[in-house]
Amino acid sequence: MFGKLFTRIANDVALAAGKPLTFILCCLIVVVWGVTGPIFGFSDTWQLIINTGTTIITFLMVFLIQNTQNRDGVAIQAKLDELVRVSEAKNAFIGIEHLTEEEVEKFRKQCEVAAKKADKVLAEKTANHSAQRRSPARTSKAKVRA
C-alpha cells in the first residue's frame, strides 16, 4: 500500500520537476529572494531561508529521483532479459547486472571477441559472394543457359 503511494508520488514529483514551468518557477523564487535582500538588509535570516529551502528540496529530490531511476533501470533490464530469452542470444546474459564489475567485464570482452569473429565471417562471405559473381566460369554458364 505504502509502496504504491510512494511510487505514484515519486513519479508525479519527478515528472513535475522536469517541466520547464517548474524551472521558471524556481528561477522566479530565486529572483524574488534576491530582490528582497536589500529589504531585509541581506541578514543572516534572509540567507538562511534560501539555504534551508534549497537544501531540503535537494535532499528530498535525490531520493525521489533515485527511486524513479531505479525502477526505470529494473524495467529496462527486465525487457532486455525477455528479448534475450526469446531470441537466439545466450540466456547466460540474463541477470548479469547482478555480477561484479570484473565478471561483467569478462562478458563484455566475450561479446567483443564474438562480434569481431562474426564481422570477419561476414566479410569473408561477402568477399566470396562478390568473387563468385565476377567469376568468368559463372558468366559462361549464364551465357550457355541463355
Side-chain angles (χ1 to χ4, degrees):
M1 168 122 168
F2 177 73
K4 287 206 180 263
L5 177 64
F6 180 77
T7 298
R8 196 180 92 235
I9 291 170
N11 283 341
D12 291 348
V13 170
L15 184 65
K19 295 198 180 270
L21 184 60
T22 306
F23 177 75
I24 292 169
L25 181 64
C26 289
C27 289
L28 186 62
I29 289 170
V30 171
V31 168
V32 168
W33 171 80
V35 168
T36 61
I39 296 169
F40 293 104
F42 300 103
S43 68
D44 289 345
T45 304
W46 173 80
Q47 292 178 32
L48 189 61
I49 288 172
I50 197 72
N51 288 338
T52 303
T54 56
T55 300
I56 290 169
I57 290 170
T58 302
F59 180 75
L60 295 175
M61 288 300 291
V62 165
F63 294 103
L64 289 176
I65 292 171
Q66 186 62 51
N67 174 269
T68 302
Q69 287 181 335
N70 288 348
R71 281 184 289 105
D72 286 349
V74 170
I76 289 170
Q77 194 59 53
K79 291 173 186 179
L80 289 172
D81 286 349
E82 181 61 9
L83 288 172
V84 168
R85 188 187 67 76
V86 300
S87 71
E88 293 181 22
K90 294 179 184 174
N91 285 341
F93 287 106
I94 294 177
I96 67 170
E97 69 276 8
H98 301 294
L99 300 177
T100 65
E101 264 187 75
E102 292 81 17
E103 292 169 325
V104 171
E105 183 62 21
K106 182 180 171 186
F107 268 102
R108 191 196 64 74
K109 285 181 181 175
Q110 287 174 353
C111 287
E112 189 175 301
V113 168
K116 286 180 181 177
K117 184 178 177 182
D119 284 347
K120 193 175 189 179
V121 169
L122 183 62
E124 288 172 2
K125 284 182 180 179
T126 303
N128 289 341
H129 181 65
S130 294
Q132 286 176 353
R133 287 193 316 171
R134 288 181 294 207
S135 170
R138 191 163 187 211
T139 307
S140 299
K141 287 180 185 177
K143 287 180 182 176
V144 170
R145 286 185 195 153

